[in-house]
Coordinates of all heavy atoms in Angstrom, one line a residue:
A249 N -70.0 40.6 111.9 CA -68.5 40.8 112.0 C -67.8 39.5 111.9 O -66.7 39.4 111.2 CB -68.1 41.6 113.2
L281 N -35.2 44.6 90.7 CA -35.8 44.1 92.0 C -35.7 42.6 92.1 O -36.6 42.0 92.6 CB -37.2 44.6 92.2 CG -37.4 46.1 92.2 CD1 -38.9 46.5 92.3 CD2 -36.6 46.8 93.3
G293 N -44.5 29.4 99.6 CA -44.4 28.3 100.5 C -45.4 28.3 101.6 O -45.9 27.2 102.0
P531 N -14.7 48.3 62.5 CA -15.2 47.0 63.1 C -14.6 45.8 62.3 O -14.4 45.8 61.1 CB -16.7 47.1 62.9 CG -16.9 48.0 61.7 CD -15.7 49.0 61.7
R692 N -28.2 38.5 78.9 CA -27.2 38.7 80.0 C -26.9 37.4 80.8 O -25.8 37.0 81.1 CB -27.6 39.8 81.0 CG -27.7 41.1 80.3 CD -28.2 42.2 81.3 NE -27.3 42.3 82.4 CZ -27.5 42.9 83.6 NH1 -28.7 43.5 83.7 NH2 -26.7 43.0 84.5

Side-chain angles (χ1 to χ4, degrees):
L281 303 176
R692 293 180 63 193

